[in-house]
Amino acid sequence: MIKNLVFDYGGVVINVDKRLIKQAFLDLKVSWLRQILHRKTIRHMMDEFICGLRPTDELIREAHQLCANGVPLEKFYEVVMLLTGDISVDRLEILKRLRTHYKVYLLSNINDVLWQTSVRQLKEAGYEVEDCFDDVFLSFELKTAKPDLGIYEHLIQTTGLSPAETLYFDDKKENIKAGRHAGFLSSYVKPNHIEDNRDYKALLAELKKNY
């Protein structure tokens, strides 16, 4: 029996348009050649940035050096903030309703700047974090990130939940694999399309029965 739900944030609760982000980096004049030459460095910096495992300002200054001369640092910040994605009020309302039947948790790889922006977006949509989640587990606070098993174990120990009674949604296959290792009933979500997920549809069907 499912008693708990765990949701990833970007690509699951909110939509993140990766094509828009790629175009934005081109607008910053980070050439394709430079992106190819520094692919591993850029990917590593992005992972560290998103997860909040290094100071945000330090990483942004480092990444800004890959831009063409004359690109202001402020413009780089604007592009980075696209990673906060787009809020879906329908999904927020569903999360709020799910909390009447389940414990609902957020487990996200996110840094402090993006999270504070996300909190503001929630408020602008008329919701508090507490409306949607019983508790949140964020990589920048825990100094560990998915798919490290430590972040799953921390959630389990803090909440006291049983992984076997917990349904976990994520849009990264490596995170789904780690969730299964931790004992969760893990359900892969096609990025930005949780409404197509079979397990999510089943939850919605149960909600309709109770309303």
Side-chain angles (χ1 to χ4, degrees):
M1 180 179 178
I2 302 297
K3 296 182 180 179
N4 317 289
L5 304 173
V6 177
F7 290 89
D8 178 37
Y9 196 60
V12 176
V13 174
I14 63 167
N15 292 334
V16 178
D17 190 338
K18 293 183 179 180
R19 291 172 300 178
L20 180 65
I21 294 168
K22 287 181 180 179
Q23 183 57 49
F25 274 96
L26 286 177
D27 292 342
L28 287 172
K29 299 182 175 63
V30 182
S31 68
W32 281 116
L33 178 59
R34 185 166 288 190
Q35 290 186 49
I36 292 170
L37 291 175
H38 299 278
R39 181 176 68 253
K40 290 184 178 180
T41 299
I42 291 172
R43 176 62 185 271
H44 186 63
M45 284 193 297
M46 288 299 293
D47 286 344
E48 287 187 311
F49 172 78
I50 291 170
C51 297
L53 302 181
R54 280 176 60 193
T56 298
D57 289 345
E58 176 184 312
L59 276 166
I60 286 181
R61 285 195 298 271
E62 186 176 327
H64 181 248
Q65 295 175 7
L66 295 173
C67 298
N69 292 334
V71 174
L73 190 59
E74 293 76 14
K75 180 64 176 177
F76 192 87
Y77 269 97
E78 290 177 13
V79 169
V80 166
M81 296 316 293
L82 292 172
L83 291 167
T84 55
D86 297 317
I87 290 284
S88 167
V89 174
D90 289 342
R91 290 179 191 164
L92 298 181
E93 185 59 29
I94 288 169
L95 288 173
K96 187 176 179 179
R97 289 168 58 190
L98 285 170
R99 287 194 61 222
T100 63
H101 301 281
Y102 308 91
K103 289 288 187 179
V104 179
Y105 302 102
L106 179 69
L107 181 64
S108 177
N109 286 353
I110 193 168
N111 75 16
D112 55 344
V113 174
L114 294 179
W115 177 243
Q116 292 307 316
T117 301
S118 298
V119 170
R120 288 197 297 272
Q121 288 177 327
L122 289 171
K123 290 182 177 180
E124 289 170 0
Y127 294 82
E128 299 290 337
V129 174
E130 295 78 11
D131 294 331
C132 304
F133 305 104
D134 290 275
D135 204 349
V136 299
F137 296 86
L138 312 173
S139 59
F140 81 89
E141 292 182 337
L142 301 176
K143 300 306 176 187
T144 185
K146 298 177 290 183
D148 190 301
L149 282 176
I151 198 168
Y152 299 90
E153 292 167 356
H154 179 85
L155 186 154
I156 293 167
Q157 293 171 2
T158 302
T159 63
L161 60 73
S162 169
E165 298 174 338
T166 304
L167 183 56
Y168 164 50
F169 296 95
D170 204 298
D171 69 331
K172 296 262 178 33
K173 292 183 179 179
E174 60 268 30
N175 296 343
I176 288 294
K177 183 178 179 180
R180 288 181 180 142
H181 278 302
F184 291 110
L185 303 172
S186 301
S187 187
Y188 172 72
V189 174
K190 181 180 177 182
N192 303 332
H193 290 86
I194 193 170
E195 287 78 13
D196 296 334
N197 178 277
R198 181 179 61 184
D199 296 311
Y200 188 76
K201 287 180 179 179
L203 290 175
L204 298 190
E206 285 297 319
L207 276 182
K208 288 181 180 179
K209 291 180 183 178
N210 292 291
Y211 280 86

